Amino acid sequence: MANKRAFPGPIPILMLVIILAAAGTWLLPAGQYNKLAVSGKNFTMVTDTNEIILPLTQKTLDSLGIQIKVEKFIAGDIRKPVSVPGSFTKQKRNQQGFINILQAPVKGIVDSVEIILFVLVIGGFMFVFNETGAMVKGITWLAHTMKGREQWLIAILTIVLSFFAGSYGMYEEAIIFYPILVPLFLAAGYDLLVPLAIIFGGTTIGSLPAFSNPFSVIIASNAAGINWMDGLGERLVLWVIVTGLLVWYILRYAAKIKKDPTASLVYKIDGEVKPLYEINISNETSTPKLEGKTKLLLLIYIATFLTMIAGVVFLGWWTTEMSSLFLGSSILVALITGLNEKVFIREFTNGAGSLLSVAFIIGVARGVTIILNDGHVSDSILYYTANLVQGIQPAFFILLLLLFYVVFSIFIQSSSGMAVLTMPIIGALAILVHVPGREIVNSYMYGMCLMSFLAPTGLILPSLAMVNISLKTWFKFIMPLLIMFAIISIVALVIGIYL
C-alpha cells in the first residue's frame, strides 16, 4: 500500500507564509502608523521624521484617540509600541527578496531569544524531573489508592491533568500515563474511551483557558504587546467551568457503561477491541508507598509553577527571572536525588533538545513579522483591515476572530507558532477596533483548543492509536461536549470585551 502524503509540519507552513509575506511587500502599498511607547517617565511618539516626547498621562492618550487606560502603560501591561489611530502615512515600498527570506528565520530567532531560552529551560527542567520517576510514582500511587473508587479517580486525574496543561503546558508527555491508567479502568469495568477522555481530554481542555501556559498565553501576550496577567482571573474562572464540565461528562458516560457495557460507544462502533500493545499496571496488590523524597519532589514541582505565577504577579518577573527559576529548580531536584552530574547535563540538554522544534517554530514565525515590518506593509495590512472592520460591533469582531483561529488551527497546531505568527498584527488591530488585547489572546487560545480536539495535525491520532479506537468513535463521544465548550467560549469572549 502506498504511503499517504504527510501533511506539512509547522515549519514548512511558516516558511511558505514567509515567502507569501515577502511577495506581499512587492504587491501591497507600504505605509506606517505613528507609534507610542513609554520611555522613562514620559511617552515617546515615533513618526516618519522624528521622535516626540509627550506627558505620561491619560490626557495624552485621549488626545491621540488611544482608548487605553494610562495605568496599563505605567504597570507594564502594554509592553510594545502602540499604533496611533488616524496617523497612517504611505511610504515607499521596500521589497523583500530571496536573501531577506533566508535571513528572516535567523532574525526571528535572534529577536525571540529570551522567550526561546525560557522554553528550552522548561524542557530541561521537565526531563530532569522525569528522570526521578516522581511523576509516574505519584500517579501510580493515586491509581492504587483510589482502586474501587474509580469515579473519584476520574475526577481527580482529569482535574490534575487539566491543571498541568493550563499552568505549564503539559501535552505530549501525558502519553506516558496510558500504560498505567488503561488497564486500571478496563479492570474496573469501563471502556477505552474513559482513559482517553481523562488523559487527552484533560490535557486538551486545560489549554483552553491556559492561565499561565508559557507556550500559549505568555508567548501570545508577549507578541501582542500586553501583560499575560491581564485577564488571569477570567481564565481561572473559565478553567474551573470547563474542567468541571469535562469531569461531569466523563463521569456520566462512565456510569452509563458501567451499568450497561453494551452502551459503550467503543463496543457499538469499533466492536471488541484491545490496546495495540501489552500494558500492565503494577502486579502489587498493596498500595505502593510514596517515600519522603518523592513527596518532596512533587512538592517542588508544583511549587515551581506557583512561584513563577507569584513572581510575575508581585515582583514583576519576566523571562530572565522565570528561566532562572526553572534552572534553579532543576539543580535542586538533581541535588535532592543525588543525580550524577553527567546524567543531569544529559537529561537537561535532552529536555531542551526535545523543545528545539518549538524554539525554531517561534523564531520562524517571528520571521514573518520581520519580513512584513522590514517591507513596511505590517501597518498597511493593519490599516486596510481596520478600515474593513470599521464600525463592526466588537462582539461580532471577536467571534469572527474565534472562527478564524478554529479554521486556521487545522493547519498549524503549534500554539507558540500560531501566537508569534498572528498576534503582532491582530494585537495591534484590537486597539484600533476597541477590543481588549486580553480577549484577542483568549480568542486565539479558545479557537486553537476547540480544534485540538479534532485536528488530525495535532495529538488526537497518536492518542487514538494508544488505545486502538477509531476517530469516528471519538467524534461521536466528544461532539456534544465540544458544542458546549464552544458556546461557553463565545459567552466568555462576549462578556470579556465589555468588562
Side-chain angles (χ1 to χ4, degrees), residues 246-259:
L246 176 62
V247 169
W248 167 81
Y249 192 78
I250 299 173
L251 287 174
R252 179 172 167 269
Y253 175 79
K256 183 170 70 172
I257 62 172
K258 186 79 176 274
K259 185 178 180 181

Side-chain angles (χ1 to χ4, degrees), residues 369-381:
T369 304
I370 287 173
I371 285 283
L372 294 175
N373 286 344
D374 289 352
H376 301 160
V377 295
S378 286
D379 283 4
S380 296
I381 294 172

